[in-house]
Amino acid sequence: MSIFKGKNILLGVTGSIAAYKACEIVRLLTKAGARVQVIMTHSGTKMVGPATFAALTGRDVLTELFPKEPKAGLEHIHLAETLDVIIVAPATANIIAKTAHGIADDLLSTTLLACDVPKLFAPAMNFRMWRNEATQSNLAIIRQRGATIVDPEHGQLASLAVGEGRMAEPKTIVNALRKLLGGEQDYEGQRVLITAGPTREPIDPVRFLSNRSSGKMGYALAAAALERGARVTLISGPTALEPPAGCDFIAVETAEEMEKQVRAKAPDQELIIMAAAVADFRIARPETRKIKRGGSTPVLKLEPNPDILKGLRPLTDAYLVGFALEVEKGRENALKKLREKQLDAIFLNYADRADSGFDKETNEGILFFKDSEEEVPFTLQSKKEIAHGILTAIREDLKRET
Ligand code: PMT
């Protein structure tokens, strides 16, 4: 389950050109199951219309401290009681200054003062304003009071000047928020590559060979790694799933495409987990036109696909984890794959057990390591729990190594 699921998040949007990026933040959070309420300052509404945020959140956007048609009780007081966190993105020098000095002269600044919940600010401003001593000391004040600041990036600003002040990317902000809401950050900053889902091998332009992988196991691993602070790249074959908010997502179709992407990313990674069900064979010569009925029945000739995982060891120092999907002689086959593919660990799971393996919400299995007799059994549990368990066991194995 996503850490954002069921969370009440208030997003404050202030008057910076980066306000358009806040739309993507809303999209990522609502897709992940959060309830997002937007408050805009008057200058924020000059950048992006409230109707956009209303459509994205399915809720009225609040802009007025004293609305024309007041409701019983002040809205910000109600908000204060239900919120889990407040993000201000983009946060101008003005809202940062007001927050630092307890000024409450509009709905957003009043809500920030009234709500005792974790707060995250993603500043966006001209580079001179950012560097200004007043802004830096205001930031120091709110940081010291516990606020999280997602520093702006260096780059071209709205004024076309180049400097620091451009709001961080929505993905970076969502990941900082995940960290704020989440638990232990034992993978903080680590580069983790995960593959998921099936591959599709074309027969002709409308048909393909594939398998029953839903991607659930790989996506659960990506979500768990993100929750623990990792920088996650998820390379996935076609699935019906929404990629976890905050990962770098690369969609592929065939094993060949997956291999190309994995090999390009592998050298930079610290951990690679191949949970994808890569098709072992492809059609030797896919037809360029749809095969029609009527003639002779076609015979499909197969050829082997590359073994992506087996080719990775010379390319990377990353800790390499494979998945072995087995029917019989599971332990023997998994250990053989561990050796032959030069892996650090392999997770054995089963293709013939109820409620585990392909397309199920739950899974079970055993994690084996290269240099340790120790093996970690996993009883039937959700794929997310399995994912967290695998990440914890990898951590333990790395501690044994050092
Ligand atoms: O996606 P779900 O519906 O949630 O199902 C999850 C899963 C059952 C697909 C997953 O848990 C799993 O077991 N994935 C690996 C399936 C598989 O291809 O196993 P294998 O024993 O054939 O391959 C061993 C390892 O080599 C795997 O890490 C695989 O990604 C990799 N491989 C395999 C073939 C190939 N040509 N290249 C590879 O890199």
Side-chain angles (χ1 to χ4, degrees):
M1 193 171 74
S2 160
I3 199 155
F4 297 119
K5 197 160 178 81
K7 291 281 188 304
N8 288 313
I9 298 175
L10 176 70
L11 172 66
V13 178
T14 66
S16 153
I17 188 77
Y20 76 93
K21 285 194 195 169
C23 301
E24 177 64 4
I25 298 176
V26 172
R27 198 190 68 80
L28 290 170
L29 293 176
T30 49
K31 283 272 181 196
R35 289 187 284 269
V36 182
Q37 172 67 61
V38 174
I39 290 184
M40 300 184 82
T41 61
H42 286 175
S43 21
T45 62
K46 304 275 189 283
M47 301 295 171
V48 175
T52 305
F53 287 106
L56 287 169
T57 59
R59 288 153 185 256
D60 289 344
V61 170
L62 308 177
T63 55
E64 303 301 326
L65 187 54
F66 299 108
K68 286 200 186 88
E69 291 163 20
K71 299 196 175 124
L74 289 174
E75 273 162 327
H76 59 269
I77 300 296
H78 285 320
L79 276 174
E81 286 158 10
T82 55
L83 284 180
D84 292 296
V85 65
I86 301 179
I87 325 173
V88 185
T92 54
N94 187 41
I95 193 73
I96 290 167
K98 284 194 210 174
T99 310
H101 298 285
I103 295 169
D105 63 353
D106 63 9
L107 184 58
L108 181 58
S109 53
T110 305
T111 309
L112 282 163
L113 199 59
C115 290
D116 191 16
V117 294
K119 297 180 182 99
L120 182 150
F121 292 79
M125 63 195 76
N126 168 279
F127 73 102
R128 289 198 184 86
M129 291 170 89
W130 172 251
R131 277 203 316 231
N132 190 295
E133 235 176 276
T135 304
Q136 288 303 319
S137 78
N138 289 334
L139 281 163
I141 291 172
I142 63 173
R143 207 180 254 128
Q144 196 253 333
R145 289 190 196 131
T148 299
I149 313 295
V150 184
D151 280 344
E153 293 168 357
H154 190 274
Q156 193 167 58
L157 305 170
S159 60
L160 297 184
V162 173
E164 208 175 352
R166 202 168 67 172
M167 189 173 86
E169 289 307 311
K171 224 181 273 179
T172 311
I173 295 167
V174 168
N175 281 335
L177 183 63
R178 189 194 315 273
K179 183 174 163 190
L180 188 61
L181 295 171
E184 203 187 353
Q185 297 292 297
D186 54 351
Y187 279 83
E188 182 158 16
Q190 294 211 1
R191 291 177 301 277
V192 175
L193 170 64
I194 290 160
T195 65
T199 61
R200 281 182 183 172
E201 311 300 328
I203 296 171
D204 68 13
V206 298
R207 303 178 178 93
F208 53 80
L209 277 184
S210 191
N211 59 60
R212 295 182 188 281
S213 170
S214 63
K216 287 174 188 163
M217 190 65 243
Y219 282 53
L221 281 159
L226 283 163
E227 278 167 23
R228 294 163 79 147
R231 286 151 60 188
V232 175
T233 303
L234 175 61
I235 300 180
S236 174
T239 75
L241 304 175
E242 180 69 22
C247 71
D248 280 327
F249 182 72
I250 301 175
V252 295
E253 232 174 272
T254 63
E256 208 176 355
E257 284 167 23
M258 185 173 277
E259 183 190 36
K260 193 168 154 220
Q261 294 295 341
V262 170
R263 289 178 72 88
K265 298 280 174 195
D268 293 335
Q269 305 299 320
E270 284 148 283
L271 168 63
I272 299 177
I273 308 181
M274 287 279 305
V278 184
D280 282 315
F281 298 96
R282 63 185 171 212
I283 306 298
R285 282 155 150 245
E287 294 294 333
T288 51
R289 293 164 155 234
K290 183 180 172 212
I291 301 170
K292 293 240 189 292
R293 266 177 95 91
S296 57
T297 305
V299 176
L300 300 176
K301 184 163 183 284
L302 303 181
E303 64 182 19
N305 259 328
D307 188 324
I308 303 172
L309 191 49
K310 201 170 177 181
L312 288 186
R313 189 71 289 167
L315 287 184
T316 178
D317 292 330
Y319 188 99
L320 278 184
V321 184
F323 267 65
L325 185 65
E326 305 294 340
V327 181
E328 53 192 18
K329 295 191 186 156
R331 173 181 293 266
E332 200 178 312
N333 287 334
L335 290 172
K336 190 162 175 256
K337 285 175 185 169
L338 177 74
R339 274 191 312 277
E340 288 180 355
K341 299 189 191 220
Q342 300 182 69
L343 308 178
D344 294 289
I346 195 157
F347 185 79
L348 162 67
N349 55 177
Y350 312 95
D352 57 350
R353 293 198 183 172
D355 300 325
S356 77
F358 279 143
D359 201 19
K360 300 287 181 347
E361 298 302 323
T362 47
N363 207 359
E364 63 185 307
I366 307 174
L367 187 66
F368 299 100
F369 301 97
K370 178 182 72 172
D371 290 325
S372 167
E373 294 293 297
E374 200 166 316
E375 49 186 61
V376 183
F378 290 83
T379 53
L380 193 68
Q381 55 198 297
S382 75
K383 285 183 173 169
K384 188 67 173 293
E385 286 167 318
I386 299 258
H388 273 296
I390 291 174
L391 292 176
T392 302
I394 292 170
R395 270 259 151 278
E396 293 302 313
D397 189 45
L398 282 166
K399 276 190 211 149
R400 276 196 292 270
E401 274 179 20
T402 50

